[in-house]
Each structure stands twice: as structure tokens, then as C-alpha cells.
Amino acid sequence: NAGVTQTPKFQVLKTGQSMTLQCAQDMNHEYMSWYRQDPGMGLRLIHYSVGAGITDQGEVPNGYNVSRSTTEDFPLRLLSAAPSQTSVYFCASKNRAYEQYFGPGTRLTVT
Amino acid sequence: DAKTTQPNSMESNEEEPVHLPCNHSTISGTDYIHWYRQLPSQGPEYVIHGLTSNVNNRMASLAIAEDRKSSTLILHRATLRDAAVYYCILRDAGGGADGLTFGKGTHLIIQP
């Protein structure tokens, strides 16, 4: 099992550009989520999904869109990048048990 | 989710036990206590969780106070690879799909 994979590892965007962060898991987990982590802070939940076709907002959803067309994939779209979205983004998945599995992260810089 | 309080940082020596405290005085009867850790430049990883009884696994032990208002994560013999930020998180017994609430955690420094 590869676990949770994220691409790209690093990305630099200009203000106003859009892009999609990719996340995939091969553990057949129902639940997937996206977090962001700003320097020196804990992770904050952006969006989450309880299964294909079902998504919901977390603590900091503004400026981000998600969709879940398959169990395996949960992409995060930045609609119009802003410097405030400079952060490290983590994708996670879990089954009905309690343990969440996190990806390695995408480091995004918006200039 | 109920709030947890952890020290900002702790320092320990290699090959010695480490006790990482967590206070959660507003814990409800159905809240599980979870610990995750985040190694430098990596995503968080699950360490252990428990409800009332002490728990052991290959990574650590979790000691839970009788009144459940505090808990302690115990690393029995710290190595340099245990240097990380450790997060204590409460989650309702329902598990929930809406993610974990991370505080700032405890930055554990291991001295060789």
C-alpha cells in the first residue's frame, strides 16, 4: 500500500492563479479530509468528505473547493490564489476506526 | 471538541523515558483521548488512543487519570527519531468524519 499520496510536493503560484492539489489513497477509506498548516501552528480543517459524492466544509473553507467522484481521490482546488493561502497542505484519510493517515504534504507559496 | 492544554516544549535525553502531559478538564464521558505526532517536514502520524484504561502499543503508552481530566503519553526510551511535535486531541466516541482539532502541541527536543 502506498497509503495517502499528494502531488505536487512544492508549488509556487502568482496571486490570482488557480490550481488543484491532488490527493489519493489506496486503503479504501470512506473518510478523507484536507488541512492546512501555517508556520508554528497546528493543522486546521478545510474540507472533508464522508464518501464519494459527499463533501462538507471544515473550519477554514473560504477560497477552496473540493469534489469526491471516487473513493480514492479527493482533489483540493484553489480558485484564485492569495498570499494568505501560503501554507503546507495535508490530505488525510480514515476508515470507521479512529486512526487518521496523513499524506506527506504540499508546500504552497503564493507571491 | 473539548479543549486540551499541553506545554509548548519539553526536553529530554536520548535513551531516557519521556512523559508528555495533557490536561483536558472539560472532557466528556464519550471523548476518546488521541495522540498524534508530527516529525519535521512530515504529516502527522497516529501514536495511540484510549478512553479510560491505560493503553500500550509498540510506539508508546498512554496513562489516563482516574477522573480523566488529564493524561500522559509515555515514550519508554526516547531516541533522536522521537523528536517531534506531539498533539493531544479529544474525539467523541462516534469517531466522526469531520477531522481532528489540532492545537499547537508539545515540541519534544531529544538531546544526544
Side-chain angles (χ1 to χ4, degrees), chain A residues 25-105:
Chain A
Q25 53 94 5
D26 61 359
M27 298 172 281
N28 202 32
H29 285 170
E30 296 176 56
Y31 305 141
M32 296 187 73
S33 48
W34 275 101
Y35 296 82
R36 62 177 285 175
Q37 185 174 34
D38 299 325
M41 306 293 289
L43 282 71
R44 291 184 294 169
L45 184 66
I46 304 172
H47 284 286
Y48 65 96
S49 168
V50 300
I54 306 169
T55 64
D56 208 342
Q57 296 182 349
E59 181 187 354
V60 288
N62 292 341
Y64 308 95
N65 271 359
V66 291
S67 60
R68 183 101 178 267
S69 56
T70 67
T71 299
E72 295 77 19
D73 300 300
F74 191 42
L76 177 73
R77 280 182 289 279
L78 278 70
L79 308 171
S80 177
S84 60
Q85 293 179 304
T86 294
S87 191
V88 182
Y89 291 84
F90 292 101
C91 179
S93 74
K94 80 181 197 63
N95 56 19
R96 292 184 182 271
Y98 297 106
E99 181 178 351
Q100 284 211 9
Y101 295 82
F102 286 83

Side-chain angles (χ1 to χ4, degrees), chain A residues 7-14 16-22 63-65 75-81 85 89 106-110:
Chain A
T7 56
K9 285 188 166 48
F10 300 93
Q11 183 71 48
V12 179
L13 291 178
K14 294 188 188 314
Q17 288 184 317
S18 62
M19 79 159 293
T20 299
L21 307 185
Q22 301 292 344
Y64 308 95
N65 271 359
L76 177 73
R77 280 182 289 279
L78 278 70
L79 308 171
S80 177
Q85 293 179 304
Y89 291 84
T106 293
R107 282 154 180 74
L108 175 69
T109 301
V110 183

Side-chain angles (χ1 to χ4, degrees), chain B residues 36-54:
Chain B
Y36 281 73
R37 73 178 185 180
Q38 188 174 18
L39 302 171
S41 300
Q42 295 189 28
E45 65 174 342
Y46 167 84
V47 177
I48 200 167
H49 78 278
L51 183 62
T52 56
S53 304
N54 294 346

Side-chain angles (χ1 to χ4, degrees), chain B residues 11 13-14 17 19 21 26 32 36 40-41 48-49 58 78 83:
Chain B
E11 201 166 311
N13 295 321
E14 198 176 9
H19 291 234
T26 60
Y32 277 79
Y36 281 73
S41 300
I48 200 167
H49 78 278
R58 63 175 178 82

